[in-house]
Amino acid sequence: MDDRQLYTRNFSIIAHVDHGKSTLADRLLEIGLVTNDRTKKDQILDSMDIERERGITIKANNASFDYLAKDGHLYHLNLIDTPGHVDFNYEVSRSLLACEGVLLIVDASQGVEAQTLANLYLAMELDLRIIPILNKIDLPSADIEKMKNLIEESLGLDSEEAIPISAKTGLNVPEVLEAITKLIPPPKGFKDKPLKALVYDSYFDNYMGVVAKLRLFDGTVKKGDHIHLMNADKDFVVTEVGINQLGLKATDHLEAGDVGYVVAGIKKVSDAKTGDTVTHKNRPAEQSVQGFKEAKPMVFAGLFPINGEDFEPLVDAIEKLRLNDSALIFERENSAALGFGFRVGYLGLLHMEIVQERLEREFNLDLITTAPSVKYRLTNQKGEVSEIDNPSKFPDLQFIELSEEPYVKATIITPETYVGNIMSLVMAKRGVHMDTIYLSADKLQLTYEIPLAELIFEFYDKLKSYTKGYASLDYEEIGYRPSKLVKMEILVNSEPVDALANIVHKSKAEERGRTIIEKLKEIIPRHQFMIPIQAAIGAKVIARESISALRKNVTAKCYGGDITRKKKLLEKQKEGKKRMKQIGSVEIPQEAFLAVLKTSD
């Protein structure tokens, strides 16, 4: 092992959302002299406006810097940032694969949360050196001794190694850098072996094409090398290599143990996907870096422009956005109610929200998203299996032999006070209790198996309101289970509205249908004729409301005389309304779709 490798440290920071990950990264980069008073800004590794406004990390980033330690040696440190939200768990696992150690941040006032544990298990699986950090000790509610006990009891880590810091004020942050140099091992690898490098992230640059961020395990790479991407099975010629110091900084070469980037005239992010392995074309590595998995979309929804003439700009925008987000998958879709649009697959609800917000902001579009659904698995009478994410493709019940839906294992960490509330919520969502663990005297970890479709329908919002914001949630997919699924259609004046169709569990259909039609009744304006609104499964109506007709008082000028004169006028009006109902069409305002689909977020 040469000096360069011996004094290199590759590390990551993992934490629950809002425990101070980005703030600690800011302080480390200040000490490493990567930022100064002129370039300094909060959340410097969060490059997108949305990340900065919401205070979350969406896209993993990295920065290399040098640190002169107390032992007199100059260390080259590579900080590989990770997103904290469960939707981007896939990116976290790839980032951790590029490291030898992690800083695990625990909020000194809030303690261990669901994603703290989820990320800890990921780090343990990869056998990484874990250094616990107690952040926010400057807060009046911080309890350092209690949190040290919690780290020992619930995380199984050595509380003596826990470093109490305040990333906001910079208190004790230099001690973190000392711990990184002492406790995290240097990278292993041989520079004379064939090139083997992990693509842990990639993004599209308008001038250079795709910039692939690499961690080299073996070998070297330099300008002019012919490289081969093993999973994509494509070859390219390297035009630039270098390291990232918040901006790209070209170098002569990268070697085993280094973290840097490669530019090789790659036109599509899908050709350099996160998790792929880069090797030399003429001297390939024997095997790829283990753990490559495609990012699988979990949630599907229709995306339509509110103004029909915005469809072409939407096509352009979604294609451009995909250049920077290889997890985004979409296909064109046509809806009778909403016109032309796309069926889009997302990693989760936050990913869905972020994509819509980026399209609206960066490309100046007004968009509407249909109710999110998941991918269901159906087996017909011939034994043929198909996967369906769109209600319009759901066949009649008589053709379905078996229907299955995806389940997730949900981990909820909560103060003991709210356990009853959570249990009633999970039961209403068809969840099954698996396990309860006491993390401390007043904090519990509850594990449930819940259908993913129930988790994406108002679950998180209700969990937060039932627990006053104190509970945290993490989940992972555990496969498909048999389930009684039906397609629920919404009919307005006996005409099905395709944008409001839903695939639901039979036991939930009536409740969901009633919610939608009551909302529609409030919003659809009255017409000259009565409008029935129905929720139906096949030919069976499960819920119904009526919007009464606007009526003109036809008997107003009918003074005196026989009662039959009034009856005659009312009968004539009735016939007119009947005829109008047969030929009249109901105008459903755009706000109706927006309001109804909002209830299904």
Side-chain angles (χ1 to χ4, degrees), residues 522-535:
E522 287 171 27
I523 289 161
I524 295 176
R526 288 167 71 187
H527 287 51
Q528 294 287 347
F529 50 90
M530 189 189 77
I531 305 166
I533 309 171
Q534 298 159 311

Side-chain angles (χ1 to χ4, degrees), residues 10 12 80 82 90-102 122-123 125-128 197-200 215-217 259 274-277 288-293:
N10 300 321
S12 196
I80 299 156
T82 62
Y90 169 78
E91 281 199 36
V92 177
S93 64
R94 294 284 76 76
S95 295
L96 295 187
L97 211 54
C99 303
E100 277 74 41
V102 294
L122 278 176
E125 274 173 38
L126 296 167
D127 202 20
L128 301 181
L198 168 79
V199 179
Y200 69 87
R215 157 67 203 272
L216 277 73
F217 290 98
V259 172
T274 304
D276 208 338
T277 302
S288 61
V289 178
Q290 294 308 298
F292 177 81
K293 287 201 294 265

Side-chain angles (χ1 to χ4, degrees), residues 387-399:
E387 291 191 332
I388 281 170
D389 59 62
N390 193 337
S392 65
K393 294 178 183 169
F394 197 85
D396 288 341
L397 287 174
Q398 67 259 34
F399 300 119

